[in-house]
Amino acid sequence: MSEPITDRELFDALANVNRKLRVLFDARVKETGLTLSRARVLFTLLRRNGLNQRELAEELGIETPTIVRLLDGMEKQDFVERRLEASDRRTKRIHLTAHGRQSAEEIEEVARKIRVEVLEGIDPEEKRVTLKVVNTVIDNILQRIGKE
């Protein structure tokens, strides 16, 4: 069994990495004229265009009313468009516009550069082991969530 202080240090380090990455990403995204929230929407839709509002809110970990306000503003700025779903006219699918796709691709490039910068000096084997550990932690968390 590992020492509690080692476990605490690992959790503190993981949380710290997450916070620092958000700060760095937010600062870089602001340089493009976007907010972190809007950049996250664009980034998500670049990977999974056509999600409905509920799916997008779940993907981003935010409440549905929050995503509605966010999308209202993004629609006005021509980043996204809402399209009614043929099978259920109450459901709206969110799609990137041409302007939104271009902005999303710029955000993807910002994220790529950040990954290169922050992973500098870490060899591929260390990355593989780290990914394995982090994925195991995630799996353990998901198992506990399912038990509650």
Side-chain angles (χ1 to χ4, degrees):
M1 179 175 265
S2 61
E3 297 178 20
I5 190 72
T6 303
D7 291 348
R8 178 187 293 161
E9 288 172 344
L10 177 59
F11 271 75
D12 289 349
L14 287 170
N16 197 22
V17 165
N18 187 46
R19 282 191 305 274
K20 301 287 187 206
L21 273 174
R22 286 179 82 86
V23 168
L24 178 59
F25 188 73
D26 186 38
R28 297 283 175 87
V29 163
K30 283 182 180 174
E31 292 172 5
T32 70
L34 287 169
T35 64
L36 178 59
S37 296
R38 289 181 180 193
R40 289 182 67 220
V41 169
L42 293 174
F43 198 63
T44 300
L45 290 174
L46 186 62
R47 290 187 326 255
R48 297 185 61 207
N49 202 27
L51 293 172
N52 67 39
Q53 290 179 169
R54 180 189 49 76
E55 292 166 337
L56 184 56
E58 286 175 7
E59 182 84 16
L60 295 171
I62 60 178
E63 299 293 323
T64 304
T66 304
I67 195 71
V68 170
R69 287 190 304 275
L70 188 56
L71 292 174
D72 287 346
M74 293 182 74
E75 199 169 31
K76 287 177 186 169
Q77 291 185 303
D78 192 37
F79 287 115
V80 298
E81 64 182 3
R82 292 174 170 120
R83 299 180 194 162
L84 292 175
E85 189 171 315
S87 63
D88 182 356
R89 304 217 21 105
R90 296 170 296 175
T91 302
K92 295 178 182 173
R93 297 266 170 204
I94 313 305
H95 293 268
L96 292 171
T97 61
H99 173 62
R101 179 164 300 284
Q102 178 183 352
S103 295
E105 288 169 354
E106 290 172 13
I107 297 303
E108 174 64 35
E109 180 60 17
V110 167
R112 187 196 65 74
K113 287 178 180 177
I114 289 172
R115 286 190 298 269
V116 168
E117 291 172 18
V118 301
L119 295 175
E120 183 178 347
I122 303 171
D123 74 45
E125 180 60 18
E126 290 173 318
K127 291 176 189 176
R128 189 190 65 70
V129 170
T130 302
L131 183 60
K132 181 180 179 195
V133 169
V134 169
N135 282 333
T136 300
V137 170
I138 291 168
D139 289 344
N140 289 343
I141 290 168
L142 292 174
Q143 287 177 14
R144 273 47 179 200
I145 290 171
K147 292 180 181 179
E148 291 181 2

